[in-house]
Amino acid sequence: RIIQEKGLTKSHLGTLSLASAANGDVTAWCILAVVIAIAQSGTFAGAIYTILFTILFLLVMFYVVRPFLNIIGNIYKNKEVMTKNIVAFMLLILIICAYTTEILGVHALFGSFLAGVIMPANPKFRKIMTEKVEDVSLSVFLPLFFVSTGLKTHIGLISTPHQWMTCLAFIALAVVSKVIGTAIPARITGESWKDSWSLGALMNTRGLMELIVLTIGLEMKILPDVIFVMLVLMTLVTTVMTGPLLNFIDFCFEKKVKTEEKEKIQVKIPSKFHLLLSFGRASSGSILLNVANQVFSKGRKPLSLTALHLTVGTEINPIYMENFEEDSFKPLKEEAQALNLEVETCFDVTNDVGKKITDMVNDSGYDFLLVGAGISMSKLPEDIEASRYKDMYYEKYFSKIGASESWFYPGDLLKDKTHHFISEANASVGIFVNRNFEQATKVIVILDKPEDVFLLEYASNLIQSNEATVCIHEMNAEIRENRISERRLGEFLIFNNNISVVSKSQLSIKILSESDFMLVSYNTWVRISEEEKDALQLMPSTLIINQKSRK
């Protein structure tokens, strides 16, 4: 979870730390099995039979049961054929493994761990099984385990200065052994100092595995109560300190990292128009790509496209992420192939979508950010219902009592981030309102202020892309009175055909209903969305643009 929240999931550091932690856990489980066997028997010699039978059990599970389960996994790898009998059979395997290791004198938890290891390797099957059991296990059983551990932890047992010093010694030894013991070998094997220290900080996280070991030790009377409390505190401290420790490491290496990032940004080809396309629903990705192709492909600079999809919620199981990425980008990649476009894709998991997008725009030097409009502008039935709920219930009742959005309202999924993009992004921003968009052939351009004439460049692109007809709707005489805007408008009319001009202070319902695409500046949109609500009921698909020069 820490790796996900830090955005390290696909990084070299994230992959290496997860692999190291997994190997560490497997080793710990094996050592734990031996320790329990010895503790149950009283001596190492008495534990030999237990260890031998456990090894025999492992061989049977890995070389007999696991190949059979792999066959089942390859057959039942989609929800259509997955039956309750298969789920019940897998749970039966879990129970048998746990019961067998308990009989052997190892511990039921070791058998449960083994059952997870021998599950079919097919990722689709694992994903389905995880969906079946994870919600209940994480929402019910895991909290109960933490509550149970907390009830057994009587901090008052550490009552003397000597005991507190012992507890601090445990914590210091635990931190030094993990951080130093990981960082030095990592550096020797070729990792940078930053990655080496970060790997040490991540490996210092003990979390659930440590608590399980301590609970077993307490139940088997191996650990005295006071030592159990000390080690639980050590587990909590070393886990909680991971985030701050990673931040401290980043701070220490910040100057060097910023210099490297700056150099990377300068490497970008300035002769290209870099556009970041960010979408939520998989279906909207292909639509936004189509819009980007029609509006920007005939611009003065060659178009460089990057498509970004963010999944909300860092608590998402890593097993799902690859599937989410594949499913989310599938329609967009098909559309890109049909349009013969090269698109770079980027996928990430975050709890703050707005900040993640604007940080990417600002740090990577994009010229334009294209996003879909919020649900408040959507005409999809489910979005209309969600907006109605937000207006009628959440904002009227729950928000007044200070209730968190995450309690009664899926905040970050439905929140309108338009203002955040406009204010925080150091690039031009386009917000697309979809009204069954297919092709921009009848375009209306709304000009309300002299500064709105920048829209004419986008209209020119559409004329070249689609041979579109363009209607310029002048809502203010000030446009003709301004020398610069008058000149740019005159040049546009001279060098383009199929252009008509309408001078009217209010939007024409007839023209809106006959158009299939509208271009409007953000400031003008803010005004007309309040003053021209009736006319905008018939508006076509619309691109709202806030023009901004790169700093």
Side-chain angles (χ1 to χ4, degrees):
R1 302 310 183 201
I2 293 171
I3 287 171
Q4 287 179 333
E5 290 178 3
K6 292 289 183 181
L8 300 173
T9 306
K10 289 191 170 184
S11 66
H12 170 70
L13 175 61
T15 304
L16 184 61
S17 58
L18 280 175
S20 302
N23 286 325
D25 279 355
V26 171
T27 305
W29 278 107
C30 294
I31 295 173
L32 179 64
V34 175
V35 171
I36 293 173
I38 295 172
Q40 296 278 40
S41 303
T43 62
F44 182 77
I48 288 181
Y49 287 107
T50 298
I51 295 171
L52 289 176
F53 278 112
T54 302
I55 292 173
L56 178 62
F57 176 65
L58 288 171
L59 292 174
V60 171
M61 297 307 294
F62 275 100
Y63 292 101
V64 178
V65 179
R66 191 180 189 187
F68 172 68
L69 292 182
N70 281 333
I71 296 173
I72 292 178
N74 291 329
I75 296 173
Y76 296 92
K77 61 183 179 181
N78 59 68
K79 292 182 179 180
E80 183 180 358
V81 297
M82 175 68 77
T83 64
K84 293 179 179 178
N85 291 338
I86 295 298
V87 176
F89 177 71
M90 293 301 169
L91 293 176
L92 183 63
I93 294 290
L94 164 67
I95 295 169
I96 291 173
C97 286
Y99 188 63
T100 303
T101 51
E102 185 72 20
I103 292 175
L104 290 174
V106 179
H107 199 281
L109 275 169
F110 180 75
S112 303
F113 170 77
L114 180 62
V117 173
I118 66 167
M119 282 291 139
N122 191 295
K124 293 182 178 179
F125 180 88
R126 285 184 170 239
K127 179 175 179 291
I128 295 172
M129 281 300 300
T130 303
E131 288 176 344
K132 298 283 186 183
V133 301
E134 187 178 55
D135 289 343
V136 175
S137 63
L138 291 183
S139 301
V140 179
F141 296 124
L142 188 61
L144 286 176
F145 171 77
F146 282 118
V147 169
S148 174
T149 305
L151 290 173
K152 296 171 185 173
T153 306
H154 304 289
I155 298 178
L157 292 174
I158 309 177
S159 56
T160 67
H162 177 265
Q163 289 176 333
W164 278 109
M165 290 299 294
T166 304
C167 181
L168 292 174
F170 281 156
I171 295 172
L173 182 61
V175 172
V176 171
S177 62
K178 270 295 181 79
V179 176
I180 302 296
T182 302
I184 299 302
R187 180 58 181 165
I188 292 173
T189 54
E191 298 298 324
S192 66
W193 273 118
K194 180 178 184 297
D195 283 353
S196 298
W197 289 116
S198 298
L199 186 62
L202 288 166
M203 289 297 290
N204 188 48
T205 306
R206 282 160 177 83
L208 185 60
M209 177 67 195
E210 185 79 6
L211 290 179
I212 290 173
V213 172
L214 296 179
T215 302
I216 293 173
L218 183 66
E219 290 176 352
M220 298 183 67
K221 309 297 183 183
I222 297 174
L223 295 176
D225 289 347
V226 66
I227 299 297
F228 172 79
V229 174
M230 291 179 183
L231 293 176
V232 168
L233 288 177
M234 179 272 292
T235 302
L236 296 176
V237 169
T238 54
T239 302
V240 170
M241 71 183 292
T242 304
L245 187 55
L246 286 173
N247 292 336
F248 177 72
I249 294 170
D250 289 340
F251 173 77
C252 293
F253 291 88
E254 185 177 14
K255 187 175 181 181
K256 183 179 178 181
V257 171
K258 281 189 173 180
T259 303
E260 291 174 353
E261 288 179 350
K262 189 176 180 181
E263 290 174 355
K264 288 180 182 178
I265 291 173
Q266 290 175 343
V267 169
K268 273 201 164 184
I269 303 172
S271 59
K272 288 190 175 183
F273 185 83
H274 299 279
L275 185 146
L276 178 64
L277 179 160
S278 178
F279 65 96
R281 295 186 181 95
S283 58
S284 64
S286 58
I287 296 171
L288 287 175
L289 180 65
N290 196 5
V291 172
N293 178 57
Q294 294 184 40
V295 177
F296 299 97
S297 62
K298 298 298 181 180
R300 287 176 293 179
K301 296 180 180 180
L303 180 62
S304 173
L305 271 170
T306 301
L308 171 67
H309 175 73
L310 299 174
T311 294
V312 180
T314 52
E315 73 279 1
I316 290 172
N317 193 308
I319 288 177
Y320 300 161
M321 290 179 60
E322 188 174 339
N323 298 97
F324 285 160
E325 182 175 1
E326 182 181 349
D327 294 342
S328 298
F329 283 109
K330 184 177 180 182
L332 182 139
K333 288 182 177 179
E334 291 174 351
E335 184 70 16
Q337 188 174 6
L339 297 172
N340 195 27
L341 286 175
E342 289 187 11
V343 182
E344 181 182 349
T345 60
C346 181
F347 173 81
D348 206 346
V349 178
T350 182
N351 279 331
D352 193 338
V353 172
K355 185 177 185 302
K356 183 73 176 181
I357 293 173
T358 51
D359 284 351
M360 186 171 176
V361 170
N362 297 338
D363 294 342
S364 301
Y366 285 96
D367 299 299
F368 199 97
L369 169 64
L370 179 62
V371 296
I375 66 161
S376 59
M377 298 183 192
S378 175
K379 291 297 182 182
L380 294 175
E382 59 268 29
D383 291 344
I384 294 173
E385 186 66 26
S387 295
R388 186 181 294 117
Y389 164 74
K390 180 176 183 290
D391 296 336
M392 291 179 63
Y393 296 101
Y394 177 77
E395 292 186 349
K396 187 178 286 186
Y397 301 109
F398 297 126
S399 62
K400 291 181 179 178
I401 62 174
S404 169
E405 280 192 351
S406 60
W407 295 358
F408 305 103
Y409 174 65
D412 211 51
L413 288 173
L414 305 184
K415 189 185 296 179
D416 188 355
K417 308 170 189 70
T418 301
H419 180 71
H420 175 80
F421 294 144
I422 297 297
S423 61
E424 299 298 327
N426 295 332
S428 298
V429 178
I431 302 101
F432 179 66
V433 183
N434 184 24
R435 294 290 183 268
N436 300 316
F437 176 77
E438 292 182 0
Q439 192 172 21
T441 55
K442 298 177 181 178
V443 181
I444 177 173
V445 182
I446 308 298
L447 301 182
D448 186 48
K449 299 289 183 183
E451 52 267 27
D452 289 351
V453 292
F454 75 86
L455 295 169
L456 299 177
E457 182 178 349
Y458 299 99
S460 295
N461 294 345
L462 288 171
I463 292 172
Q464 295 181 58
S465 297
N466 303 334
E467 297 182 355
T469 60
V470 176
C471 175
I472 298 174
H473 198 303
E474 294 182 19
M475 302 187 70
N476 197 322
E478 186 182 346
I479 296 167
R480 296 284 184 173
E481 296 169 357
N482 182 282
R483 186 174 60 182
I484 297 176
S485 60
E486 168 66 17
R487 179 173 57 80
R488 291 188 64 180
L489 180 58
E491 291 173 351
F492 178 78
L493 294 173
I494 291 172
F495 291 105
N496 294 286
N497 300 319
N498 299 323
I499 310 296
S500 61
V501 179
V502 174
S503 297
K504 195 174 181 181
S505 60
Q506 292 183 320
L507 290 177
S508 169
I509 295 176
K510 182 176 183 297
I511 296 175
L512 286 174
S513 62
E514 291 176 351
S515 303
D516 54 27
F517 197 79
M518 182 167 73
L519 288 169
V520 60
S521 71
Y522 177 70
N523 291 331
T524 298
W525 172 261
V526 171
R527 185 185 70 80
I528 65 175
S529 61
E530 290 296 326
E531 299 177 7
E532 303 281 349
K533 287 184 179 180
D534 292 337
L536 290 177
Q537 294 298 315
L538 297 174
M539 76 177 193
S541 296
T542 300
L543 183 60
I544 306 164
I545 302 176
N546 183 71
Q547 188 81 342
K548 189 182 291 187
S549 300
R550 287 290 306 182
K551 294 180 180 179

